[in-house]
């Protein structure tokens, strides 16, 4: 007889040392205590999601973010997804999800629900696509739409990041998740690259898999989210692609190094075959070390990633798209390494500039206790010998962002999403 997911969740919790077990706490180092606490919180969250029995707290002192009303399509979809797997919901803490065929969700209906839930919020910003005049109209294949976005980890947004001009109410996950989903559903990317994902297992994987995406997640080895009370587990990078457009050829999960030191930053690189053209493309998502003073560290991480990609793409024989929050301005060495790499990369968002050679003035804009921060840190790099940029989504204006900056009631992250349409070049070797 199969057991219910709730029973399995409870069983999984029993695998952890009891808080009242004599000597159990004293035998653990402070670091292991933190990790064990985070794991217990992770399992409690899943117990709440699987049980669906009115529990109001995920264990002692752990509040749970509901997924919406029990009558909503989003809530029902997630409840059915979490309840459909009879095997351990602790999969949230594993690297490999159980790939299971689930009933698809109509993206239009889900977008409508997001908009209904967000009716009480200010109108969202309108952004236009800028189409390049020299894009190849003769290309008869559908463009590949790629979306890059640091969505702001929930634990950091409500905890460590301290956006002093953003009301806490605007950061509550109960509505902020709808803003994130609305942005994704509005632009309907074929490939989606996200950073600071700490609600992968309970939101993004179940929802996007049912929208037709294949999903991959790689958490940071030690996430700062775990230092926040009532966290939802570690944050990391996630890569999604539409299965009706691409077939997975290979997948690599990378822990970046700085010289010989293994670091806390990661990358996912997946080689995909386009079903329409039969051509290969390697898509990468990464998130480099943050903060001023770590420029040389980021440079070393970037060099390590480039070396790995040199091998994965067989020396640029496979075209590349690299999405990420590099935490680096264009003046930093890591940016220059990518711009001058033998992989022949170019930054897609330069197409928005008048001369086609300059990055946008900002991709993130926030206010913390240390002051106002306005920087260009996010990029979509691409193989310019094999791919063309057909269009790019314009960025928010200063007037749209407003004096309190990001995040806000209008926008869920302090980073803006970048969206580009690419096409394969008819002459892929022209610049090699």
């Amino acid at each position: 007889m199969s057991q219910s997911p709730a029973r399995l969740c409870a069983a999984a919790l029993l695998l952890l040392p009891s808080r009242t077990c004599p000597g159990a706490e004293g035998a653990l180092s402070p670091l292991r205590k933190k990790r064990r606490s985070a794991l217990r919180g992770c399992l409690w969250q899943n117990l709440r999601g699987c049980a669906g029995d009115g529990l109001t707290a995920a264990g002692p002192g752990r509040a749970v973010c509901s997924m919406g009303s029990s009558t909503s399509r989003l809530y029902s979809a997630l409840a059915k997804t979490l309840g459909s797997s009879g095997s351990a919901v602790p999969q949230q803490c594993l690297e490999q999800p159980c790939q299971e065929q689930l009933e698809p969700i109509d993206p239009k209906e889900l977008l409508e629900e997001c908009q209904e839930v967000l009716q009480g919020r200010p109108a969202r910003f309108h952004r236009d696509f800028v189409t390049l005049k020299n894009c190849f109209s003769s290309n008869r294949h559908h463009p590949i739409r790629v979306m890059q976005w640091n969505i702001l980890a929930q634990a950091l947004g409500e905890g460590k990041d301290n956006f002093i001009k953003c009301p806490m109410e605007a950061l509550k996950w109960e509505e902020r998740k709808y803003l994130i989903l609305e942005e994704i559903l509005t632009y309907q990317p074929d490939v989606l690259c996200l950073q600071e994902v700490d609600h992968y297992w309970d939101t993004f994987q179940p929802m996007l898999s049912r929208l037709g995406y294949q999903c991959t997640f790689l958490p940071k080895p030690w996430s700062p989210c775990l230092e926040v009370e009532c966290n939802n587990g570690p944050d990391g990078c996630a890569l999604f692609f539409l299965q009706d457009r691409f077939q997975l050829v290979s997948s690599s999960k990378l822990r970046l190094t700085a010289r010989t030191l293994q670091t806390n930053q990661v990358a996912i690189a997946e080689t995909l075959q386009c079903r329409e053209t039969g051509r290969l493309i390697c898509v990468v998502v990464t998130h480099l070390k943050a903060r001023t003073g770590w420029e040389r560290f980021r440079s070393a991480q970037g060099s390590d990633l480039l070396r790995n990609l040199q091998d994965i793409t067989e020396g640029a024989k496979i075209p590349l798209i690299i999405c990420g929050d590099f935490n680096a301005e264009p003046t930093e060495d890591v940016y220059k390494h990518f711009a001058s790499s033998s992989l022949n990369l170019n930054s897609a968002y330069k197409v928005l500039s008048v001369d086609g050679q300059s990055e946008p003035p900002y991709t993130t804009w926030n206010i913390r206790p240390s002051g106002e921060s306005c920087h260009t840190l996010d990029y979509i790099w691409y193989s310019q010998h094999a791919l063309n940029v057909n269009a790019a989504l314009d960025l928010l204006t200063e007037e749209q962002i407003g004096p309190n900056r990001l995040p806000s009631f209008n926008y869920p992250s302090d980073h803006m999403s970048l969206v580009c349409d690419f096409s394969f070049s008819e002459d892929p070797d022209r610049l090699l």
Side-chain angles (χ1 to χ4, degrees):
M1 179 183 294
S2 63
Q3 298 184 57
S4 71
R7 288 179 181 271
L8 286 164
C9 287
L13 283 168
L14 294 176
L15 297 175
L16 297 176
S18 168
R19 292 189 181 189
T20 58
C21 178
E25 291 289 340
L28 296 175
S29 68
L31 183 61
R32 290 190 66 188
K33 286 179 184 177
K34 279 187 177 181
R35 288 178 174 166
R36 198 200 65 185
S37 176
L39 179 60
R40 179 180 282 116
C42 156
L43 296 175
W44 269 115
Q45 285 280 21
N46 278 316
L47 175 59
R48 169 64 178 88
C50 293
D53 58 1
L55 291 175
T56 56
R62 290 185 178 275
V64 172
C65 297
S66 70
M67 290 308 302
S69 69
S70 60
T71 59
S72 77
R73 287 186 293 270
L74 179 56
Y75 180 92
S76 299
L78 282 166
K80 181 181 277 189
T81 299
L82 291 172
S84 67
S85 173
S87 68
V89 172
Q91 71 174 10
Q92 186 184 39
C93 304
L94 302 177
E95 287 191 5
Q96 293 295 335
C98 177
Q99 295 296 336
E100 186 177 346
Q101 293 297 320
L102 299 169
E103 182 185 348
I105 302 172
D106 185 341
K108 291 182 180 178
E109 288 188 3
L110 186 55
L111 178 58
E112 288 173 3
E113 176 171 343
C114 291
Q115 293 168 343
E116 289 171 8
V117 171
L118 297 169
Q119 281 182 347
R121 291 210 171 199
R124 265 71 70 207
F125 308 120
H126 176 75
R127 298 167 65 185
D128 291 314
F129 276 95
V130 177
T131 303
L132 269 65
K133 295 178 182 177
N134 61 344
C135 74
F136 294 90
S137 57
S138 60
N139 195 315
R140 60 189 181 279
H141 301 298
H142 292 95
I144 298 170
R145 176 162 292 180
V146 177
M147 185 176 196
Q148 147 61 28
W149 198 12
N150 179 332
I151 61 171
L152 174 61
Q154 184 63 27
L156 301 183
E158 285 192 290
K160 296 170 70 75
D161 277 354
N162 199 4
F163 300 111
I164 58 176
K165 293 290 186 177
C166 179
M168 286 301 295
E169 190 63 30
L171 294 170
K172 296 298 183 185
W173 185 242
E174 287 87 343
E175 288 189 2
R176 196 173 82 87
K177 63 177 175 280
Y178 285 96
L179 276 177
I180 296 172
L181 287 170
E182 181 188 49
E183 181 97 347
I184 295 168
L185 290 163
T186 295
Y187 300 115
Q188 300 179 49
D190 300 305
V191 177
L192 172 63
C193 296
L194 302 180
Q195 299 87 37
E196 292 198 23
V197 180
D198 63 346
H199 274 271
Y200 177 80
W201 295 108
D202 65 4
T203 302
F204 295 103
Q205 192 274 340
M207 292 309 306
L208 292 174
S209 65
R210 301 188 69 182
L211 290 168
Y213 289 91
Q214 185 158 328
C215 315
T216 305
F217 176 63
L218 184 57
K220 294 173 183 172
W222 184 247
S223 166
C225 292
L226 298 178
E227 300 172 2
V228 178
E229 190 176 359
C230 302
N231 65 76
N232 200 63
D235 76 302
C237 293
L239 195 157
F240 310 85
F241 65 86
L242 284 176
Q243 296 180 79
D244 63 358
R245 292 223 59 190
F246 301 100
Q247 180 177 352
L248 180 65
V249 176
S250 65
S251 181
S252 301
K253 293 181 176 180
L254 308 172
R255 182 174 180 180
L256 300 179
T257 65
R259 297 183 176 87
T260 59
L261 175 69
Q262 283 197 318
T263 74
N264 196 39
Q265 281 64 48
V266 298
I268 302 169
E270 295 194 330
T271 300
L272 312 176
Q273 184 174 37
C274 178
R275 295 186 186 275
E276 185 180 12
T277 65
R279 293 175 67 170
L280 298 179
I281 187 169
C282 180
V283 181
V284 184
V285 57
T286 193
H287 188 187
L288 302 188
K289 174 67 180 171
R291 301 187 186 281
T292 303
W294 291 85
E295 292 81 4
R296 294 169 72 177
F297 196 82
R298 281 191 288 273
S299 178
Q301 288 182 327
S303 296
D304 179 55
L305 179 56
L306 289 169
R307 281 191 297 271
N308 277 283
L309 296 179
Q310 187 80 24
D311 294 336
I312 290 171
T313 63
E314 302 173 16
K317 289 181 182 177
I318 300 172
L320 268 165
I321 292 178
I322 308 169
C323 296
D325 175 0
F326 280 62
N327 278 307
E329 290 274 10
T331 53
E332 280 197 30
D333 284 345
V334 65
Y335 179 96
K336 295 173 184 176
H337 291 335
F338 273 72
S340 61
S341 165
S342 61
L343 294 171
N344 199 19
L345 301 170
N346 198 4
S347 178
Y349 258 71
K350 292 198 298 187
V351 301
L352 294 183
S353 64
V354 176
D355 60 1
Q357 301 299 316
S358 306
E359 293 289 353
Y362 50 81
T363 62
T364 178
W365 202 338
N366 59 60
I367 302 176
R368 293 189 173 101
S370 56
E372 190 163 350
S373 176
C374 177
H375 296 291
T376 299
L377 306 178
D378 308 271
Y379 306 96
I380 300 178
W381 295 93
Y382 70 101
S383 298
Q384 58 185 337
H385 64 280
L387 298 167
N388 304 306
V389 182
N390 296 349
L393 184 65
D394 211 351
L395 297 172
L396 299 173
T397 65
E398 181 177 358
E399 182 180 10
Q400 285 176 315
I401 292 172
N404 294 334
R405 309 313 183 198
L406 304 174
S408 65
F409 279 108
N410 310 69
Y411 203 75
S413 175
D414 57 323
H415 291 253
M416 285 174 276
S417 64
L418 308 183
V419 185
C420 286
D421 288 344
F422 292 95
S423 61
F424 287 105
S425 171
E426 298 299 326
D427 183 14
D429 298 323
R430 61 191 169 91
L431 292 179
L432 273 178

